[in-house]
Amino acid sequence: LLSWDQETNLPEAAGEYRAEQLAQLSGWAHRRGTADEVRGWLEEAEAAGFSPHSVEGVNLREARRVFEREVRLSSRLVEEFARVSSQGHQAWVRARQQNDFSIFAPFLGRLLELSREKADCWGYEGERYDALLEGYEPGARTAEVAKLLADLAGEQSALLKEVATKSRETELARPWSDPEACFPQAAQEVFNHEVAAAFGFDFSAGRIDASAHPFCTTLGPRDVRLTTRYDERDFTNSLYSVLHEVGHGLYEQGLMGEYFGLGAGQAVSLGVHESQSRLWENKVGRTVGFWEHWWPRALELFPGAAGASPEKLARHVLRVRPSLIRVEADEVSYDLHIVLRFELERALLDGVLAVEDLPAAWNRRFEELFGLRVPDDASGCLQDIHWSMGGFGYFPTYTLGNLYSAELFAAARLERPELEDGLAKGNYAQLLSWLRGKIHRPGSTWTASELMRRATGRVPSASAHLEYLRGKYLG
Ligand code: ZN
């Protein structure tokens, strides 16, 4: 709740004290959670011999996993990390506003030091990055992720060129825009709310607020908070952030609330979490069918959109071209943004890349990957929130989410052939119920890769994602 409030409501001058509050509470929770008596409880419960995939067995396994990670860290380290990540986050907000990397650089350096210290406490077999990745995607290994991303980078760069050539030859190059149009935030809120509710988001157990960086967080079993940001020149910006976060929110609302805070009631990994957001945002929302269905209502709320049409709006949100900002990237170039961040954060963590050299390294690699010059750090290495909060090892889960979402969508369509026609008519319940059964309700019963194998009947790979992109953008 303190973190959510920090992102949505906190007055600027209150930041310093908030960092202390977060540090105190984190340290307190860490001491309680790693006390000797907790170890005793775990041993006693484990001796009862619950079967590994029963609710009790899963809860115990997850409690043990978390305990073993926490107990390796000192309370001093946990408190210091909470303090510096809160300070770092606030420094990042200022640095980004003022386009001045030097404001953020010392905090980034300190967060890297603390992250190395944490990784060394946790231990690792391959490389240090593994220990951090484990916190977001249990079971994933850096070497595998590196190979996957390298393969994808080659395929997607080629695909990007092909799509660019194709769209130059067709109408796709001319998406809808009206420089005179204005879409008041209040009308956007109404539209976003209606679409989110239609997808199945339960507003009696959740809400949407505004923040600098859209996110979803869960404060309790019936309390899921989403955020978005508004641009009055283009209502699709806030809308697609909402569609994305709603995907996360539906997962959270679909977990077994009676086991909130325990393995059986918890999301299994960030990669699986991201598969849900990318599925609703892109496979459902970024389609012609979506706009055919929602066009009449959009027109009622946004008189400024009168010059558009369902086809034009679809082209607008399906446009493919290399761009500076990850969260606004099209589906074809998206994973190249992850390749860049993964390479750089790995180099930062290893000390191969010095903090002060980050902006130059970012700009150089960005130009290689996208053929674009980065004009300033605010739209370069300062654009993402993750590093400001010490979230190193997080980015690869976005690409895993893309791969998983393509696998899941293909499997759902195969099992329910009428699914896509339903989606185009605004019938979202079928897809949601499929996801509830396959992904949401199991919580952390299975590992992420086992959960995916059970849902789709195959071991996850990049092939479904590439097939999906080719079919959608070249088909
Ligand atoms: Zn997400």
Side-chain angles (χ1 to χ4, degrees):
L1 190 55
L2 289 175
S3 302
W4 172 81
D5 175 73
Q6 175 175 290
E7 301 295 313
T8 49
N9 294 310
L10 192 71
E12 202 189 324
E16 208 175 307
Y17 188 65
R18 176 54 48 89
E20 287 308 315
Q21 290 174 307
L22 283 160
Q24 286 302 316
L25 195 58
S26 303
W28 176 80
H30 180 261
R31 278 188 295 277
R32 300 279 293 168
T34 55
D36 277 343
E37 58 189 327
V38 178
R39 188 193 299 279
W41 297 338
L42 283 170
E43 282 167 4
E44 203 179 314
E46 281 160 353
F50 293 106
S51 79
H53 300 298
S54 66
V55 164
E56 293 83 358
V58 170
N59 289 345
L60 262 176
R61 184 197 72 212
E62 279 306 295
R64 169 62 79 180
R65 194 178 69 81
V66 171
F67 179 83
E68 291 301 333
R69 265 177 91 79
E70 288 298 311
V71 81
R72 285 180 166 80
L73 306 177
S74 67
S75 295
R76 177 208 55 84
L77 180 54
V78 170
E79 278 176 25
E80 182 66 0
F81 195 85
R83 182 179 296 115
V84 180
S85 57
S86 176
Q87 292 166 343
H89 172 67
Q90 294 165 40
W92 166 76
V93 172
R94 285 194 303 279
R96 193 161 162 252
Q97 271 163 5
Q98 295 167 33
N99 189 27
D100 182 354
F101 180 72
S102 72
I103 297 172
F104 175 54
F107 295 94
L108 180 59
R110 187 75 188 114
L111 284 165
L112 281 163
E113 277 168 26
L114 292 170
S115 297
R116 284 186 203 112
E117 202 180 327
K118 273 179 150 185
D120 293 346
C121 292
W122 285 323
Y124 46 87
E125 278 170 22
E127 58 181 287
R128 220 183 224 152
Y129 193 91
D130 279 328
L132 301 176
L133 184 61
E134 179 71 18
Y136 304 110
E137 195 68 23
R141 291 291 169 265
T142 310
E144 291 162 21
V145 168
K147 181 173 181 324
L148 182 76
L149 284 171
D151 292 348
L152 265 181
E155 297 270 2
Q156 278 180 264
S157 296
L159 193 56
L160 193 57
K161 286 196 189 88
E162 261 184 90
V163 175
T165 311
K166 188 189 168 210
S167 62
R168 260 196 301 275
E169 293 160 2
T170 65
E171 271 292 292
L172 282 168
R174 267 163 275 134
W176 167 74
S177 77
D178 180 353
E180 301 296 307
C182 174
F183 307 98
Q185 183 176 326
Q188 293 189 41
E189 286 172 10
V190 172
F191 191 60
N192 295 347
H193 191 289
E194 286 180 18
V195 180
F199 277 13
F201 187 73
D202 178 0
F203 278 94
S204 75
R207 50 180 290 133
I208 302 178
D209 295 273
S211 69
H213 194 100
F215 66 95
C216 164
T217 189
T218 299
L219 305 180
R222 307 255 310 135
D223 190 357
V224 178
R225 308 289 177 102
L226 316 179
T227 68
T228 188
R229 56 179 168 211
Y230 296 93
D231 174 356
E232 297 206 321
R233 287 160 306 166
D234 184 348
F235 69 94
T236 64
N237 284 356
S238 76
L239 174 69
Y240 281 87
S241 290
V242 166
L243 301 191
H244 179 96
E245 301 307 334
V246 159
H248 287 301
L250 290 172
Y251 186 12
E252 290 291 316
Q253 289 184 335
L255 293 163
M256 291 192 288
E258 61 272 40
Y259 301 116
F260 179 76
L262 296 167
Q266 213 153 44
V268 62
S269 77
L270 288 193
V272 172
H273 228 303
E274 192 69 6
S275 76
Q276 302 303 290
S277 55
R278 301 294 282 176
L279 209 165
W280 289 98
E281 175 195 357
N282 292 327
K283 275 77 180 174
V284 179
R286 227 173 273 278
T287 58
V288 179
F290 175 86
W291 281 110
E292 278 168 353
H293 178 73
W294 286 99
W295 170 243
R297 184 59 181 142
L299 205 52
E300 277 170 18
L301 286 164
F302 306 122
S309 67
E311 296 73 30
K312 283 183 183 173
L313 278 170
R315 277 206 295 275
H316 178 61
V317 301
L318 283 163
R319 66 199 183 280
V320 173
R321 40 117 214 245
S323 64
L324 294 166
I325 307 294
R326 176 185 59 85
V327 295
E328 292 164 12
D330 59 78
E331 293 183 89
V332 181
S333 62
Y334 187 93
D335 296 296
L336 296 175
H337 289 271
I338 303 306
V339 169
L340 170 77
R341 285 151 179 80
F342 173 69
E343 287 176 2
L344 292 176
E345 69 179 6
R346 218 170 146 201
L348 283 168
L349 196 73
D350 288 347
V352 177
L353 175 63
V355 165
E356 63 267 27
D357 298 330
L358 174 64
W362 178 290
N363 297 351
R364 195 169 49 243
R365 188 70 177 118
F366 194 91
E367 200 167 345
E368 281 169 16
L369 284 165
F370 295 89
L372 288 177
R373 184 149 291 170
V374 179
D376 52 45
D377 292 337
S379 43
C381 68
L382 284 174
Q383 67 180 269
D384 288 307
I385 194 173
H386 308 67
W387 292 341
S388 82
M389 302 175 111
F392 308 104
Y394 189 124
F395 281 118
T397 68
Y398 287 130
T399 286
L400 292 175
N402 284 334
L403 305 189
Y404 293 168
S405 79
E407 298 266 2
L408 290 171
F409 195 53
R413 280 191 304 179
L414 212 60
E415 251 180 67
R416 302 197 175 171
E418 67 289 0
L419 187 85
E420 258 182 312
D421 282 347
L423 290 174
K425 294 190 184 90
N427 172 9
Y428 305 113
Q430 233 190 0
L431 178 60
L432 183 57
S433 82
W434 190 87
L435 293 169
R436 287 268 191 259
K438 301 277 184 186
I439 301 293
H440 302 176
R441 263 192 299 276
S444 293
T445 302
W446 315 102
T447 62
S449 55
E450 176 61 11
L451 180 74
M452 285 300 300
R453 199 193 57 75
R454 286 171 167 263
T456 64
R458 48 193 248 178
V459 178
S461 73
S463 61
H465 181 49
L466 289 166
E467 208 174 296
Y468 158 79
L469 291 176
R470 281 195 200 99
K472 186 165 178 179
Y473 293 96
L474 289 173

